[in-house]
Amino acid sequence: MAKSPAARKGGPPVAVAVTAALALLIALLSPGVAQAAGLTATVTKESSWDNGYSASVTVRNDTSSTVSQWEVVLTLPGGTTVAQVWNAQHTSSGNSHTFTGVSWNSTIPPGGTASFGFIASGSGEPTHCTINGAPCDEGSEPGGPGGPGTPSPDPGTQPGTGTPVERYGKVQVCGTQLCDEHGNPVQLRGMSTHGIQWFDHCLTDSSLDALAYDWKADIIRLSMYIQEDGYETNPRGFTDRMHQLIDMATARGLYVIVDWHILTPGDPHYNLDRAKTFFAEIAQRHASKTNVLYEIANEPNGVSWASIKSYAEEVIPVIRQRDPDSVIIVGTRGWSSLGVSEGSGPAEIAANPVNASNIMYAFHFYAASHRDNYLNALREASELFPVFVTEFGTETYTGDGANDFQMADRYIDLMAERKIGWTKWNYSDDFRSGAVFQPGTCASGGPWSGSSLKASGQWVRSKLQS
Ligand code: IDC
């Protein structure tokens, strides 16, 4: 970061360094900038004294949708710190200072503003400013990062900042882990939707803003059932909606799992032709994105591992032909229990793996039903091959009933330790305990936190935020 001591040691004169910083500040303040369409932030220096100054920051929502959480990150030169803050929550890491909205100003309607202020100790002015991951003056979409006009992400240069996709870039399998584009193991955590044939109305700009910016998810799993009034009833309509949802998640810098949600019948071959048609189009359209993962069979059941493997080896080439380098997740025997619920286990997969690279295997658990034998299977599998927990609940396998947070925490700890990615079931307002919102939340357009949350929602939101 701009190290002013260099100036004192015969580098550029101090006055020049200050002028450069001022120029940036003025740029942030210029009226043209404030009028950019999108979500912007402007920093105004209010008053200054010997070794400090006060500043106010105005966040402006010139988009057409409500922003439900904002995050302004300011970089201050070395030697300058933030001494006091009002109307925002503040955290800092090195020279980077993060300000997020508080309960009374985190939601900004279209055309509205929110403001906060701070006192700096030291005279250094901000050298860099982002809002929701995009430059403060660019007028990003509410999704900001990835939105139109946003410069392409520069992963790796700003650890701890930016959106998940900016931080990790194109993910890939390395050994038994999921890794970022530089080969460092990464744990992606987030939410699965409910079936989009039933709970599509829970997936809006505002609910996805909340998931990305307030809940701090890295990833969303889009569950598209094939049966039960799903894809098979309207392939064109469901495919179009999935394109749209992938784009909405991408605009927010989230990773996406495209879930081919087979369940009944449990033999994935039953939907093989449909799967080929669907994934061919999805892979074709989204191949250039860095954030899409494909899950080709939610929960095979009542079929052998050999049969699931043969299905995978038919569908994977269809994807690879169009999108050669994205991660593909293969469902496992016995409702993606790695075979455990049908008397088998991870060894069967390790002995006869799917013949393809850059793939992972799915594991699902429901903590109130699935106890130590499932937990042990996950531990064992994580040493043998790459695993992604694409579905789990704190409740029973019905998606309902009492939560067992203690058991769920044991899984969470193991997944954290091994950097096993997860998406929890489910981001909807279904009446069942596993749905994170109270019934009626989606129809009323939120709010997506506070009293709208069921116990499982409070639990998972705080996991994601930590
Ligand atoms: C459940 C839904 C429920 C729906 C049912 C039938 O919560 O509303 O009626 O499916 O399809 C899974 C499945 C997932 C289940 C979930 C909870 O992948 O589709 O959702 N679950 O039962 N595997 C284990 C649990």
Side-chain angles (χ1 to χ4, degrees):
M1 292 304 126
K3 257 199 158 186
S4 39
R8 277 178 233 134
K9 281 193 203 149
V14 173
V16 172
V18 170
T19 308
L22 267 179
L24 192 126
L25 196 68
I26 288 160
L28 295 175
L29 294 175
S30 80
V33 160
Q35 281 154 19
L39 185 64
T40 55
T42 53
V43 184
T44 311
K45 199 168 172 180
E46 306 276 27
S47 55
S48 57
W49 46 92
D50 261 352
N51 196 28
Y53 61 91
S54 67
S56 69
V57 182
T58 304
V59 179
R60 239 202 121 71
N61 176 16
D62 280 326
T63 74
S64 52
S65 50
T66 298
V67 167
S68 63
Q69 182 55 289
W70 48 264
E71 177 185 276
V72 172
V73 179
L74 297 178
T75 306
L76 293 175
T80 296
T81 57
V82 170
Q84 206 183 316
V85 178
W86 52 97
N87 292 338
Q89 243 178 30
H90 169 241
T91 56
S92 62
S93 162
N95 294 347
S96 167
H97 293 266
T98 303
F99 304 84
T100 47
V102 283
S103 60
W104 59 92
N105 69 2
S106 62
T107 301
I108 315 178
T113 59
S115 53
F116 68 93
F118 65 92
I119 288 176
S121 159
S123 55
E125 290 150 356
T127 55
H128 189 66
C129 175
T130 63
I131 177 149
N132 289 359
C136 286
D137 55 355
E138 287 226 335
S140 67
E141 285 305 298
T150 307
S152 51
D154 187 7
T157 56
Q158 295 177 289
T161 62
T163 67
V165 176
E166 283 173 328
R167 285 201 297 275
Y168 308 127
K170 179 99 184 171
V171 288
Q172 52 177 326
V173 171
C174 48
T176 57
Q177 307 244 230
L178 184 66
C179 290
D180 69 10
E181 75 173 25
H182 303 290
N184 308 307
V186 60
Q187 186 194 26
L188 301 181
R189 305 179 306 164
M191 290 297 301
S192 174
T193 69
H194 203 305
I196 61 168
Q197 80 275 39
W198 297 311
F199 290 92
D200 190 51
H201 60 293
C202 292
L203 305 172
T204 61
D205 280 327
S206 141
S207 77
L208 294 185
D209 280 350
L211 184 62
Y213 308 131
D214 174 42
W215 290 47
K216 308 264 186 233
D218 304 309
I219 184 162
I220 182 170
R221 177 191 193 231
L222 303 173
S223 284
M224 186 190 68
Y225 279 67
I226 319 310
Q227 277 70 46
E228 300 183 64
D229 298 328
Y231 175 88
E232 67 176 2
T233 63
N234 182 3
R236 184 70 264 142
F238 278 94
T239 307
D240 286 342
R241 181 58 175 155
M242 288 295 270
H243 286 317
Q244 208 172 47
L245 290 169
I246 292 168
D247 290 342
M248 286 163 73
T250 304
R252 289 161 177 77
L254 290 169
Y255 290 90
V256 184
I257 295 175
V258 179
D259 165 31
W260 182 253
H261 204 89
I262 62 139
L263 188 59
T264 310
D267 182 351
H269 288 278
Y270 179 84
N271 290 302
L272 177 62
D273 290 342
R274 293 184 191 93
K276 286 181 171 174
T277 303
F278 172 75
F279 281 112
E281 183 174 326
I282 294 288
Q284 183 78 41
R285 176 85 70 97
H286 304 284
S288 65
K289 293 194 167 67
T290 58
N291 62 322
V292 177
L293 295 81
Y294 306 90
E295 184 179 5
I296 59 175
N298 166 50
E299 290 190 351
N301 57 89
V303 283
S304 68
W305 169 244
S307 173
I308 299 165
K309 172 179 145 85
S310 79
Y311 164 82
E313 289 171 359
E314 292 229 37
V315 175
I316 291 171
V318 171
I319 298 173
R320 287 285 182 250
Q321 217 186 320
R322 285 129 183 124
D323 181 350
D325 58 359
S326 293
V327 171
I328 298 175
I329 304 169
V330 181
T332 58
R333 187 172 158 197
W335 293 274
S336 287
S337 66
L338 296 162
V340 178
S341 73
E342 291 180 357
S344 184
E348 179 181 46
I349 299 168
N352 189 20
V354 172
N355 184 16
S357 57
N358 215 19
I359 63 159
M360 307 185 79
Y361 297 89
F363 179 66
H364 293 176
F365 69 86
Y366 283 79
S369 301
H370 302 138
R371 318 297 299 178
D372 284 279
N373 59 332
Y374 268 63
L375 185 63
N376 292 338
L378 176 58
R379 187 178 293 111
E380 182 191 337
S382 70
E383 284 159 12
L384 296 171
F385 45 74
V387 183
F388 203 110
V389 175
T390 53
E391 213 182 278
F392 80 92
T394 50
E395 70 286 4
T396 72
Y397 67 83
T398 60
D400 202 4
N403 294 296
D404 187 337
F405 293 124
Q406 213 184 342
M407 188 68 198
D409 279 338
R410 293 178 59 204
Y411 281 100
I412 289 285
D413 290 347
L414 175 67
M415 295 189 290
E417 178 201 312
R418 305 273 163 108
K419 289 198 166 31
I420 300 170
W422 52 257
T423 45
K424 183 192 132 43
W425 184 260
N426 65 68
Y427 201 65
S428 85
D429 65 355
D430 178 30
F431 68 90
R432 295 170 180 86
S433 59
V436 293
F437 300 114
Q438 299 289 354
T441 301
C442 298
S444 55
W448 312 106
S449 59
S451 61
S452 300
L453 296 178
K454 292 200 196 110
S456 68
Q458 287 168 17
W459 179 87
V460 69
R461 178 169 170 267
S462 77
K463 298 287 171 202
L464 288 171
Q465 289 178 335
S466 72

